[in-house]
Amino acid sequence: MSDKHLYKVVFVNQDQIYEIYAKNVYQSDIYGFVTVEDFVFGEKSSILIDPTEEKLRSEFENVNRSFIPMHKIIRIDQVKKRGPAKIFAGESPASPAGNVSSLYPIDKK
């Protein structure tokens, strides 16, 4: 894959919608998973710090490669430039992804 490409990956993780950017996204050798590599976050030296992006940066700080189950991926877009990495609450109807449901709902008893 070329380093010129940049992908926006939107997926569900524990009732939250993650929107991250990565340089490499491809079908994994592990059946049913998509591999995401080379995460891209904003500059640490910027004056304004987005707490959501900092949370994602710290969560993926020492991760070389992430394997995301295919049924958790909402969409993958090839983009020209990076936007802010975000986390949305998946439960709120006011959130942009409020109508997204899991293929296999978790029984919360």
Side-chain angles (χ1 to χ4, degrees):
M1 302 247 161
S2 172
D3 286 338
K4 296 177 187 175
H5 295 263
L6 184 62
Y7 299 94
K8 177 173 76 170
V9 182
V10 182
F11 62 96
V12 178
N13 183 26
Q14 300 175 349
D15 291 334
Q16 294 180 323
I17 310 299
Y18 280 44
E19 184 176 301
I20 59 172
Y21 292 84
K23 292 181 182 177
N24 295 314
V25 177
Y26 54 91
Q27 184 174 340
S28 175
D29 291 339
I30 304 171
Y31 183 75
F33 287 82
V34 172
T35 303
V36 180
E37 295 179 326
D38 299 327
F39 299 100
V40 179
F41 295 104
E43 298 295 321
K44 275 192 169 182
S45 63
S46 67
I47 296 171
L48 294 175
I49 297 174
D50 183 6
T52 303
E53 188 160 359
E54 283 301 311
K55 179 181 177 191
L56 284 168
R57 181 193 306 269
S58 65
E59 184 171 339
F60 291 101
E61 184 175 27
N62 294 318
V63 177
N64 296 329
R65 177 180 301 136
S66 186
F67 300 96
I68 302 171
M70 282 187 196
H71 67 276
K72 294 292 186 176
I73 293 183
I74 297 171
R75 75 186 286 160
I76 300 171
D77 296 326
Q78 184 177 352
V79 295
K80 292 183 181 180
K81 63 180 184 175
R82 187 193 69 81
K86 302 175 191 171
I87 299 176
F88 300 106
E91 303 234 351
S92 171
S95 73
N99 60 355
V100 176
S101 63
S102 176
L103 184 61
Y104 304 106
I106 299 170
D107 187 19
K108 296 180 182 179
K109 289 184 180 180

